[in-house]
């Protein structure tokens, strides 16, 4: 028998969602949509300090949404996907080491590059159209009681039956939950992002592929240059990354060779760029569900290991949290169903960690050159690299597809070729 007040949320129930990004908006929309389908009227309040409309803040996300994002938005949330916000279709990738590169073009639906702040504004506006209340404020404290949760904000206090943490990597919100429910945020990688405007000719010359890099330095695990509407978004990630490491990376000849030149100056002035630093998760958070609370997306660490794919995961986990609240309940035991629903993400994390360790080691030892040389010969290995870089498939599938007999033969042949070239 379910504990009183902790069963599925009924009409008149109240949910406070902390964070108005894609995860928070998706949770709120799903609660209203599914609640109505079940004949229940639930009150949903999203607390978000930022103002997405008007693009008054910068988002660390590179803003590339890959399949099945459109299907998730339209099928699971029942709302139109905002194709009108897309600035560019990403047709493929170019994977670089310091000495080699390979073009990776998949046969799947292209990814879409857009401005994240515009997508966030769209999702939150749709949520409001569905009856979700939005309170522009900062959460300042939490109190969990047997029959309710009190959410204190910089505006008005809120009472809730259950709280959804959709605050991403916000350290202030994480600290509040850490103090009250023993939540621990996920381990993270640091990321530094900048923009580069090369002009119309430069953008046309760059094309519609993302250039991904696996530098030989252990301090930068991966980096990417992504074409957007009128600029290139450049991001680099690592455990101990800083601005000087990024500038050194951008100064490297194999990076400079793919960046369009600034016509007037003839080169990229690294100190003229504006750099933004943030973090993204690389593992699960501790205690991300419990009595009257559940975390979604980055706050839970429920993202694709090593590569992210954060918006897709945020929407997936947000809709799953809503279904759990409405169908299973809001107790710690009820939220075990939410953990089970996310096994497609959590069971892939060990494969992602293994891929991360192997990639770092191979890049440091120069073995990724051999992998790229082999992939040029073997379609299966080339497809595995595309799936790993694009996040189109799970790491479990990537590893399985990349360890075929044909791929191993190609790797052996590439290794032999490199050895012979060094002996000459």
């Amino acid at each position: 028998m379910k504990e009183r007040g902790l069963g599925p949320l009924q009409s008149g129930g109240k949910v406070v969602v902390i964070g108005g990004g894609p995860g928070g908006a998706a949770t709120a929309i799903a609660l209203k949509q599914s609640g109505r389908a079940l004949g229940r009227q639930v009150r949903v309040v999203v607390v978000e300090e930022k103002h997405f409309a008007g693009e008054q803040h910068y988002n660390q996300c590179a803003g590339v949404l890959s399949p099945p994002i459109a299907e998730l938005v339209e099928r699971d949330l029942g709302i139109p996907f905002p194709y009108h916000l897309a600035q560019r279709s990403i047709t493929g990738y170019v994977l670089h080491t310091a000495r080699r590169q390979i073009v990776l073009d998949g046969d799947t639906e292209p990814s879409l590059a857009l401005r994240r702040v515009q997508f966030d504004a769209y999702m939150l506006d749709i949520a409001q159209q569905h009856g979700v209340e939005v309170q522009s404020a900062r959460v300042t404290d939490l109190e969990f009681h047997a029959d309710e949760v009190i959410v204190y904000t910089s505006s008005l206090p809120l009472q809730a039956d259950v709280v959804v943490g959709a605050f991403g990597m916000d350290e202030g919100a994480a600290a509040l939950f850490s103090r009250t429910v023993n939540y621990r945020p996920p381990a993270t990688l640091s990321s530094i992002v900048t923009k580069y405007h090369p002009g119309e000719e430069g953008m046309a010359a760059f094309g519609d592929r993302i250039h991904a890099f696996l530098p030989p330095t252990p301090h930068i695990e991966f980096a990417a240059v992504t074409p957007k509407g009128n600029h290139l978004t450049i991001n680099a990630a690592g455990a101990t990354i800083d601005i000087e490491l990024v500038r050194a990376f951008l100064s490297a000849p194999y990076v400079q060779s793919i960046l369009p030149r600034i016509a007037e100056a003839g080169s990229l002035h690294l100190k003229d760029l504006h750099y933004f630093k943030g973090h993204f998760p690389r593992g699960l958070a501790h205690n991300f569900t419990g009595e009257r609370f559940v975390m979604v997306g980055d706050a839970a660490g429920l993202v694709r290991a090593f590569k992210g794919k954060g918006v897709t995961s945020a929407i997936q986990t947000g809709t799953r949290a809503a279904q759990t609240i409405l169908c299973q309940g809001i107790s710690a035991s009820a939220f075990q169903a939410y953990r089970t629903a996310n096994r497609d993400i959590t069971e892939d994390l060990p494969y992602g960690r293994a891929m991360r360790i192997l990639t770092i080691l191979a890049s440091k030892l120069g073995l990724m050159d051999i992998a790229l040389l082999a992939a040029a010969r073997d379609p299966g290995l080339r497809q595995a690299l595309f799936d790993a870089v694009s996040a189109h498939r799970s790491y479990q599938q990537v590893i399985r597809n990349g360890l075929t007999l044909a791929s191993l033969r190609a790797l052996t042949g590439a290794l032999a070729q490199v050895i012979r070239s060094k002996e000459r």
Side-chain angles (χ1 to χ4, degrees), residues 209-237:
R209 293 188 179 99
I210 294 175
H211 287 252
F213 296 85
L214 297 172
T217 170
H219 300 291
I220 298 180
E221 295 191 13
F222 62 86
V225 182
T226 302
K228 303 293 281 294
N230 63 353
H231 67 275
L232 301 174
T233 293
I234 304 171
N235 69 298

Side-chain angles (χ1 to χ4, degrees), residues 87-105:
Q87 298 178 335
R88 191 179 295 265
S89 291
I90 301 300
T91 60
Y93 298 79
V94 183
L95 181 60
H96 298 257
T97 65
R99 289 172 290 274
R100 292 187 181 274
Q101 67 180 53
I102 186 171
V103 175
L104 302 170
D105 288 332

Side-chain angles (χ1 to χ4, degrees), residues 17 19-28 116 123 164 166 296-297 310-311 313-315 317-319:
V17 181
T27 307
R116 257 296 304 279
M123 291 290 290
V164 178
V296 302
V311 175
S313 299
I315 292 174
T317 57
T319 55

